[in-house]
Amino acid sequence: MSGLSILEGLNENQRHAVTYTDGPLLIIAGPGTGKTLTITRRILYLIHTGVRPSEIVALTFTNRAGREMRERISPYLTEEKNGLFLGTFHMFGLNILRRYYNRDFRLIERKKQLEILKSITDGTLKKAQALLDYISRVKNLYDVESMKDSAFLKYEEILKDKNSLDMDDIILKAMELLKTSREAHADIARLKHVLIDEYQDINPLQYEFIKSLYGVTENICAVGDIDQAIYAFRGADIEHFLNFKRDFKGAHSIFLKENYRSTPTIVQASQSLIKHNKKRIAHPLESMSFNTSNKIKFVTVNNEYEEAKTIVREIEKKMGATSHYSLTQNDFRGEWDNNYRFSDFAVLFRTNHQADVIREAFVDSGIPYQLIKDVFYEAIEDIIDKLKMSTNEIPQGKNIAHILDDAFATADTEGLLGLKRNLLHAYEALQAEIALKKVTDELYLFRSPDAIDRSSDSVSLMTLHMSKGLEFKVVFIAGFEEGLIPYSLANTEEEIEEERRLFYVGMTRAKEELFLLCSEKRHVHGAIRMCKKSRFFYEIPDGLMDEITISKKEKPKKRPKQQSLF
Ligand code: ATP
Ligand code: MG
């Protein structure tokens, strides 16, 4: 790729962000302004100007995001492309440990951690789980004082005896290693550029890690949006964002102001909403979209079953006659619009509990969907166990596809199958043993958003948290009600602000159309609860929304089955 084409199509501020390569840089920008795109181009630009791929580290929030970036960059890298690191903090830390920590260390799974913790508490799962959460928090908050607690020390001792590390140790130990191992430090000293996407969500441990890399290179480029910080509950701290200039001396900041993703209506509505947060860096955001600006649809329905059916019907309507799925449906209302694919739609919700009813409606309709629920870690651990058995000896002629088929043989959820497809896609070209090692590492570091399969033509059903960084033509947000959005456990002003940011993330995933659905009644723990529309409803200007009520009586009449069109 030539220098010119790397900058092609970028606006002035994006170009500035790509080409400002001397010293710390903070790119502050709203959703859809091309932050992720800018990081991708910046990597290409750096390589174009002579920086070696192995001198660049780009840290992403999920493995999936890292992989997507790699796919975009790979065609333009001719040599040495394997030296470029693009992935999560954890994966980067693990790479350091694999090279410089003692050779035989094991990563332990959650169930083993719980066994250990049971042995040092009263033997109950409840206590063990509470202690596990505590220890994880101490590590992620980099709470050095609490690391001296007796329970913490006992746990660490047992882990040391077993030559094992837990997931949270990865960054912690990698960071220590950079201080204590000359080889590790010498290796990392090669780095010339560190790039971090989604900087607003880093936690104190990750922050310490970045600071330790800052000792190696001043070229730290962080990209983020404080209005999209949604991981305070996991210890992420937006203060890091606010303090960037103090912590990284001489840092330059660049604002991106143009939103290329969403229609003016969606941009204006989301800006009106987020202005209600006090803790933010206000900056303008303007839609560059030429799409006709449909109003946001605020749809009131009777209950959660109607909510799910309304979503399905709307997708069928939009897919129109081009879809054979619609042709088999009674509700078909034949609009000739063939501009959509199933993957253009997403249904977002606040809690995993809401997923089942929505999923049933998709099953009934025959519309292909992928539900990215929190995949249970036990299922992943089972798969890791099976893979470990393969590690001992890979029979001749077996490739990673065969191995994955065996290990995932009993996996039946869309999340797991999506994950399997992603792994296969990423590693099938590698030699079996190397691929197996990479697959196992990735499964250890698994996070639910990794299961999203962007190549499958299906409607995505996922929590608001998982939708970060993604975009869809049409977005449905289900359960736009008090108790769900904002969630009932959010009480303090800070927590409500976080819920507002989460809803903001959801809204700003939409490129063309946004549907907010509110149920009048909802089943909660076996009882029926009467619901009120979300308080955030009142923060979106009236003129940008159409209100629609679908009561039982007004349910669209069923039409007879379509006759053959030909
Ligand atoms: P988020 O905050 O949601 O992560 P982002 O700032 O990372 O968003 P991107 O995902 O990089 O934004 O870009 C959003 C969309 O805008 C993408 O479809 C991208 O291709 C497009 N885009 C970004 N910059 C430009 C540009 N200069 N010209 C045209 N399209 C652009
Ligand atoms: Mg992004």
Side-chain angles (χ1 to χ4, degrees):
M1 212 176 184
S2 72
L4 213 61
S5 53
I6 290 170
L7 301 178
E8 203 175 279
L10 299 181
N11 67 39
E12 202 181 315
N13 290 330
Q14 289 174 332
R15 279 174 189 229
H16 188 188
V18 168
T19 55
Y20 184 95
T21 55
D22 209 9
L25 174 66
L26 180 64
I27 303 171
I28 309 172
T33 50
K35 294 185 295 298
T36 304
L37 179 84
T38 300
I39 287 211
T40 320
R41 296 285 184 99
R42 188 175 158 94
I43 295 170
L44 288 171
Y45 182 80
L46 290 171
I47 295 169
H48 174 75
T49 56
V51 181
R52 291 210 188 102
S54 60
E55 294 167 346
I56 303 171
V57 164
L59 300 167
T60 56
F61 205 73
T62 60
N63 280 313
R64 175 188 47 77
R67 203 154 40 221
E68 278 176 14
M69 237 187 245
R70 177 172 282 277
E71 277 168 15
R72 284 203 222 166
I73 291 174
S74 286
Y76 306 107
L77 296 184
T78 43
E79 54 184 283
E80 279 191 89
K81 71 177 170 196
N82 289 329
L84 170 72
F85 180 85
L86 248 173
T88 60
F89 281 84
H90 276 105
M91 196 55 98
F92 184 58
L94 188 57
N95 282 357
I96 296 174
L97 295 177
R98 288 256 181 262
R99 261 177 276 158
Y100 305 106
Y101 203 62
N102 71 61
R103 285 206 152 259
D104 320 308
F105 81 89
R106 295 184 51 223
L107 288 170
I108 59 163
E109 301 97 334
R110 202 181 149 83
K111 65 180 172 213
K112 301 252 167 56
Q113 280 178 284
L114 287 170
E115 272 166 32
I116 295 172
L117 291 167
K118 271 191 200 165
S119 77
I120 58 175
T121 53
D122 60 4
T124 63
L125 185 64
K126 204 171 163 203
K127 270 268 161 61
Q129 256 160 354
L131 190 52
L132 185 124
D133 290 346
Y134 171 76
I135 289 172
S136 173
R137 222 175 152 70
V138 166
K139 289 182 180 174
N140 281 300
L141 291 178
Y142 197 58
D143 179 355
V144 184
E145 273 312 301
S146 302
M147 289 182 195
K148 296 172 191 155
D149 286 358
S150 63
F152 186 93
L153 289 173
K154 182 97 195 114
Y155 169 76
E156 290 292 289
E157 204 180 295
I158 298 175
L159 244 57
K160 200 167 173 205
D161 284 347
K162 293 178 183 294
N163 193 16
S164 298
L165 298 179
D166 68 25
M167 171 107 155
D168 303 310
D169 281 331
I170 294 173
I171 299 173
L172 202 60
K173 300 287 180 217
M175 200 160 76
E176 276 172 22
L177 210 56
L178 295 183
K179 289 187 196 132
T180 54
S181 152
R182 277 191 26 213
E183 289 93 344
H185 189 266
D187 183 11
I188 219 74
R190 75 183 189 278
L191 289 183
K192 298 230 167 80
H193 287 271
V194 177
L195 299 89
I196 311 134
D197 199 5
E198 310 275 6
Y199 189 73
Q200 73 277 358
D201 280 322
I202 64 162
N203 66 32
L205 177 61
Q206 292 165 329
Y207 169 76
E208 282 303 316
F209 191 53
I210 294 168
K211 285 284 271 192
S212 69
L213 299 180
Y214 183 52
V216 172
T217 173
E218 290 195 338
N219 300 325
I220 307 280
C221 170
V223 174
D225 178 8
I226 198 165
D227 294 334
Q228 295 186 64
I230 54 174
Y231 279 100
F233 73 96
R234 274 207 213 140
D237 192 345
I238 49 184
E239 293 296 328
H240 298 317
F241 199 99
L242 297 170
N243 292 337
F244 191 89
K245 287 206 157 186
R246 186 198 67 195
D247 298 334
F248 301 97
K249 295 270 172 311
H252 185 65
S253 41
I254 295 178
F255 290 85
L256 306 179
K257 303 188 201 85
E258 285 102 353
N259 174 305
Y260 292 91
R261 177 180 295 144
S262 311
T263 62
T265 303
I266 293 166
V267 169
Q268 277 169 36
S270 58
Q271 292 311 295
S272 301
L273 171 101
I274 203 66
K275 273 190 194 134
H276 290 82
N277 269 14
K278 293 202 180 99
K279 201 164 191 180
R280 62 188 300 256
I281 305 171
H283 49 88
L285 188 68
E286 190 194 338
S287 168
M288 303 302 281
S289 162
F290 295 112
N291 276 318
T292 45
S293 219
N294 281 322
K295 284 192 182 175
I296 293 170
K297 309 269 186 328
F298 174 78
V299 188
T300 308
V301 292
N302 212 272
N303 55 43
E304 70 266 41
Y305 297 97
E306 285 304 315
E307 177 183 64
K309 282 189 203 152
T310 303
I311 294 170
V312 163
R313 273 199 295 265
E314 190 61 35
I315 295 174
E316 281 172 350
K317 186 177 125 192
K318 286 195 154 33
M319 292 301 290
T322 54
S323 151
H324 71 276
Y325 296 94
S326 304
L327 292 177
T328 62
Q329 297 303 307
N330 291 336
D331 275 340
F332 171 69
R333 277 174 281 156
E335 282 197 6
W336 291 88
D337 180 351
N338 60 358
N339 290 326
Y340 293 100
R341 291 160 53 86
F342 290 113
S343 52
D344 288 328
F345 300 91
V347 184
L348 310 180
F349 35 85
R350 176 67 180 84
T351 67
N352 281 308
H353 294 297
Q354 292 167 262
D356 293 332
V357 171
I358 298 172
R359 172 219 191 106
E360 272 167 34
F362 276 85
V363 171
D364 287 348
S365 71
I367 293 180
Y369 68 94
Q370 50 175 330
L371 170 61
I372 321 295
K373 217 172 156 177
D374 275 326
V375 178
F376 291 114
Y377 290 95
E378 288 99 75
I380 299 273
E381 290 182 0
D382 273 356
I383 293 168
I384 293 176
D385 283 344
K386 288 185 188 137
L387 288 172
K388 271 194 209 143
M389 287 191 267
S390 309
T391 324
N392 299 333
E393 197 186 342
I394 301 176
Q396 275 255 307
K398 269 210 164 190
N399 59 27
I400 191 68
H402 301 131
I403 298 169
L404 285 175
D405 279 344
D406 292 345
F408 281 78
T410 53
D412 53 359
T413 63
E414 301 87 31
L416 286 177
L417 294 173
L419 176 63
K420 181 188 165 195
R421 279 194 296 272
N422 284 346
L423 290 169
L424 191 62
H425 187 63
Y427 301 118
E428 67 187 334
L430 299 182
Q431 188 256 340
E433 263 161 52
I434 298 172
L436 182 59
K437 238 185 159 39
K438 296 219 177 240
V439 164
T440 316
D441 279 352
E442 199 160 310
L443 286 173
Y444 269 117
L445 306 183
F446 175 80
R447 288 268 172 256
S448 304
D450 295 337
I452 301 169
D453 178 1
R454 298 287 279 160
S455 63
S456 108
D457 187 21
S458 55
V459 177
S460 296
L461 319 181
M462 66 179 100
T463 59
L464 288 161
H465 277 102
M466 285 188 206
S467 70
K468 182 160 113 153
L470 302 176
E471 58 186 22
F472 304 90
K473 274 192 185 167
V474 183
V475 169
F476 299 88
I477 302 184
F480 186 42
E481 302 141 24
E482 282 295 297
L484 285 173
I485 300 174
Y487 195 49
S488 52
L489 293 179
N491 290 313
T492 63
E493 194 171 331
E494 279 199 348
E495 287 164 346
I496 294 292
E497 292 209 352
E498 172 116 341
E499 292 291 310
R500 190 179 280 109
R501 288 193 291 266
L502 184 55
F503 176 57
Y504 176 75
V505 167
M507 287 179 90
T508 55
R509 299 309 93 202
K511 295 197 215 175
E512 295 175 5
E513 271 190 276
L514 176 63
F515 291 80
L516 306 174
L517 293 106
C518 169
S519 256
E520 286 170 341
K521 294 186 218 91
R522 189 175 288 276
H523 291 83
V524 182
H525 305 304
I528 292 182
R529 189 175 70 191
M530 302 305 288
C531 310
K532 279 200 296 194
K533 63 176 80 152
S534 166
R535 72 190 70 178
F536 298 148
F537 169 89
Y538 303 99
E539 297 176 4
I540 302 172
D542 287 343
L544 301 178
M545 252 188 311
D546 275 338
E547 289 192 47
I548 301 160
T549 302
I550 301 184
S551 69
K552 272 212 160 124
K553 276 172 263 150
E554 290 166 27
K555 207 174 123 186
K557 285 201 187 90
K558 290 196 170 183
R559 290 208 171 184
K561 260 194 178 149
Q562 283 289 301
Q563 300 299 310
S564 165
L565 290 170
F566 304 102

